[in-house]
Amino acid sequence: MTGRLDDSSATLEVTGLEIAERGRSFDLVVELLAHGERWRVRLPRDNSDSALFDGSPPPHLVRHIASLTRAQLFDWWHTKGHERQSAKLGERLT
């Protein structure tokens, strides 16, 4: 998940990724660079993704969650300026 992510109108560089537990679910906390700005984005996950922590998750599950996370990051980037729900997920660091 770390490294450069591109779509047709933006490049996001993921510089950090951590897991924050929330009871039976968790958040993916992603730090990234975009257009010279540093951001921290918190993406909530429900317990259906908790199989990631079973010690040896199936590769298809890991790919699915990585793909979903990528889509959510770009959705957040493109909507954070005009959707309140998206804006609450991100925090500009610099």
Side-chain angles (χ1 to χ4, degrees), residues 3-69:
R4 187 178 168 137
L5 305 175
D6 292 301
D7 79 357
S8 61
S9 62
T11 297
L12 307 177
E13 184 177 343
V14 176
T15 60
L17 177 66
E18 65 183 80
I19 306 297
E21 292 185 56
R22 269 188 308 114
R24 303 190 115 208
S25 55
F26 63 96
D27 292 344
L28 290 176
V29 181
V30 181
E31 289 198 12
L32 56 90
L33 294 171
H35 298 278
E37 301 170 351
R38 289 183 54 234
W39 290 84
R40 180 177 297 122
V41 183
R42 194 172 199 88
L43 302 173
R45 292 286 189 254
D46 61 25
N47 63 358
S48 66
D49 292 337
S50 64
L52 279 174
F53 306 109
D54 287 346
S56 185
H60 72 277
L61 177 63
V62 175
R63 283 190 303 273
H64 170 73
I65 292 174
S67 179
L68 180 63
T69 300

